[in-house]
Amino acid sequence: MARVIVDVMLKPEILDAQGQAIARALPRLGFSGVSAVRQGKRFEVELEGPADDAAIAEVRKMAETLLANTVIEDFTVTVES
Amino acid sequence: MARVIVDVMLKPEILDAQGQAIARALPRLGFSGVSAVRQGKRFEVELEGPADDAAIAEVRKMAETLLANTVIEDFTVTVES
């Protein structure tokens, strides 16, 4: 059993209204020193078998077709050690 | 300028309906070999200064009070290298 992480974030050129709202709220709440915040999604995918090349390729296909909207989002796939 | 990542996931004992929906959809969509999926949030926090101990402590406080609902969610703070 292995765990693969898929991180999905809006592409840099897409306005991230949620992240901007957080960044704007911070000074009001007493936090300083933050120049920007972006919000995205994190998926923890538990595999039945090992995280070999074939399994990673399968998760990548899954991310492309199901977890991310690749028109507006980028994703990264990493194996959790 | 440094980037700090805050990952927020539901606590393991909390039912993750979104993750379960994804896990159930996978076989229908032709993906096999996945035993479970959990969905959470990822925040990329851009700091104005370096990610020193004080800044990390500040981001941790931010996560606790603003980004995560610690009744039902766990969070981790990592510095992106």
Side-chain angles (χ1 to χ4, degrees):
Chain A
M1 271 220 0
R3 176 180 288 178
V4 180
I5 308 297
V6 180
D7 287 316
V8 177
M9 301 298 292
L10 282 171
K11 287 180 190 283
E13 65 269 27
I14 306 286
L15 176 74
D16 177 4
Q18 286 184 300
Q20 281 195 352
I22 295 166
R24 268 199 306 264
L26 289 173
R28 256 193 293 127
L29 294 163
F31 295 104
S32 58
V34 171
S35 57
V37 177
R38 289 184 76 80
Q39 178 173 352
K41 286 172 283 185
R42 172 187 166 93
F43 299 92
E44 295 180 354
V45 179
E46 305 280 349
L47 300 178
E48 281 162 7
D52 52 17
D53 285 358
I56 304 286
E58 187 85 346
V59 172
R60 187 166 286 281
K61 219 169 90 187
M62 205 181 291
E64 242 170 53
T65 55
L66 182 65
L67 303 178
N69 174 356
T70 54
V71 177
I72 57 167
E73 291 169 330
D74 289 328
F75 67 89
T76 59
V77 175
T78 46
V79 179
E80 199 175 74
S81 49
Chain B
M1 269 220 1
R3 175 180 290 179
V4 180
I5 308 297
V6 180
D7 286 316
V8 178
M9 300 298 292
L10 282 172
K11 286 180 191 283
E13 65 270 26
I14 306 286
L15 176 74
D16 177 3
Q18 285 183 301
Q20 282 194 353
I22 294 166
R24 268 200 305 266
L26 289 173
R28 254 193 293 125
L29 294 164
F31 295 105
S32 58
V34 171
S35 57
V37 177
R38 288 185 77 79
Q39 179 173 352
K41 285 173 284 185
R42 174 188 165 94
F43 298 92
E44 295 181 354
V45 179
E46 305 279 347
L47 301 178
E48 280 163 7
D52 52 17
D53 285 358
I56 304 287
E58 187 85 345
V59 172
R60 188 167 286 281
K61 219 170 91 190
M62 204 181 291
E64 242 170 51
T65 55
L66 180 67
L67 304 178
N69 175 355
T70 54
V71 177
I72 56 167
E73 291 171 330
D74 289 328
F75 67 88
T76 59
V77 175
T78 45
V79 179
E80 199 174 77
S81 49

